[in-house]
Amino acid sequence: MACYSQDFLKLPHELVHLVMKKQLKFFTVADAKGGLQPYFVGIRDGVSKGQRNVEEGFKNVLEARFNDAFFFYNRDLAIPLAEFKAKLAAITFQAKLGTMADKTARVEKLVAWLCGSCCAAINKEEVAAAAPHVYSDLTSNLVREFTELQGVVGYYYARNSGMSEKASRAVGEFYRPMSAKSPLQSSKEGALVSLAGKLDTLVSDFALGQIPSGSEDPHGLRRAALGAVRIVLENNFRLNLRAAVSAAFAQLPPEAS
């Protein structure tokens, strides 16, 4: 086990884990409460001869990667969240469905519809704050470099912009659940925003005839559908799903619907 500078713990911990695990095949180290510690474990082949040199080499490579991550992260923190969102207009979602800015606008409208149709106590202000920025981090430097952090770093940039903790969590947890048994959103507000995104994706693909087959589901529609059902059931949302799908379909541009 070797140590590295505590300064790197200022990075999002998800980023620290990603750099170590995916890029370098190192293990992170946590305390008894799960708090990340400034140590890492690297595995080498062979005997222990020259162990100190190997350790120093590992540490130098790790800190070089962390410095790169710091560069992208700090650069992003200096950019207003609204600027990230504006750049979504340059990213195509699908030729007949427009850009990611268009998709964001559809999600915003659908979220407003869900707030009025879902029989649950929902803080509409928190929902309205989160919905416009669920895709904003796609244009960030960090996500372009580390695509696995899509959504996750959205939380940090939302908080940096002054957004409330609950609304920021809704942004960061937008893509949950990632699997059949993985956690859902930590709030009903976050769950409703995520539901809107999943419904838009499902309706968009089905409108274009991009329907999963027995062996292929390139856009993860099964996961989106199962996630939507889990969100409704586990949050006890009293919602007419047929009406919700119709509302999502009504937001599509004429060339898609």
Side-chain angles (χ1 to χ4, degrees):
M1 185 167 68
C3 66
Y4 56 87
S5 172
Q6 285 195 344
D7 288 342
F8 294 123
L9 293 182
K10 296 175 184 177
L11 289 167
H13 288 187
E14 297 89 345
L15 177 56
V16 173
H17 285 294
L18 181 62
V19 169
M20 285 208 208
K21 180 179 178 180
K22 182 174 181 181
Q23 292 193 328
L24 299 172
K25 312 302 182 187
F26 292 166
F27 295 91
T28 53
V29 177
D31 60 23
K33 296 182 178 179
L36 195 62
Q37 299 298 301
Y39 302 97
F40 70 94
V41 176
I43 307 298
R44 65 168 294 193
D45 234 353
V47 296
S48 297
K49 187 176 181 180
Q51 187 73 12
R52 178 60 62 184
N53 290 335
V54 172
E55 180 181 320
E56 285 299 317
F58 280 177
K59 181 178 178 181
N60 290 339
V61 172
L62 176 63
E63 295 198 341
R65 295 294 178 90
F66 278 157
N67 281 322
D68 289 343
F70 244 130
F71 172 78
F72 293 118
Y73 183 56
N74 288 332
R75 191 174 179 183
D76 284 342
L77 291 179
I79 300 173
L81 196 59
E83 188 173 323
F84 287 134
K85 183 188 177 187
K87 292 179 181 178
L88 291 173
I91 300 177
T92 299
F93 173 57
Q94 206 280 340
K96 292 184 178 180
L97 295 167
T99 65
M100 289 304 299
D102 297 321
K103 181 172 176 62
T104 301
R106 292 196 299 272
V107 170
E108 289 184 69
K109 292 177 182 177
L110 187 54
V111 162
W113 185 91
L114 290 169
C115 281
S117 305
C118 181
C119 298
I122 298 292
N123 187 321
K124 295 181 180 180
E125 291 184 358
E126 301 282 9
V127 169
H133 295 293
V134 291
Y135 299 114
S136 295
D137 67 349
L138 289 175
T139 66
S140 68
N141 295 288
L142 199 57
V143 170
R144 282 200 293 266
E145 187 70 18
F146 302 95
T147 56
E148 299 89 343
L149 294 179
Q150 175 183 335
V152 173
V153 295
Y155 162 78
Y156 295 96
Y157 297 160
R159 287 297 288 150
N160 183 63
S161 75
M163 194 181 294
S164 72
E165 174 67 18
K166 180 177 282 189
S168 298
R169 286 288 175 195
V171 173
E173 297 170 354
F174 179 69
Y175 296 99
R176 291 185 179 184
M178 301 304 293
S179 65
K181 296 183 179 180
S182 64
L184 292 179
Q185 293 73 21
S186 57
S187 70
K188 291 186 183 299
E189 288 77 12
L192 205 67
V193 175
S194 179
L195 178 61
K198 288 173 173 56
L199 289 176
D200 178 75
T201 297
L202 286 163
V203 167
S204 296
D205 276 36
F206 272 80
L208 297 177
Q210 297 176 345
I211 301 172
S213 67
S215 60
E216 294 185 356
D217 184 13
H219 294 168
L221 298 186
R222 290 190 186 90
R223 186 178 67 188
L226 290 172
V229 171
R230 276 192 64 196
I231 286 172
V232 172
L233 293 178
E234 295 184 34
N235 285 281
N236 294 315
F237 287 157
R238 295 178 60 189
L239 179 68
N240 184 326
L241 274 177
R242 186 183 296 274
V245 168
S246 296
F249 187 80
Q251 301 295 336
L252 299 181
E255 53 269 31
S257 58

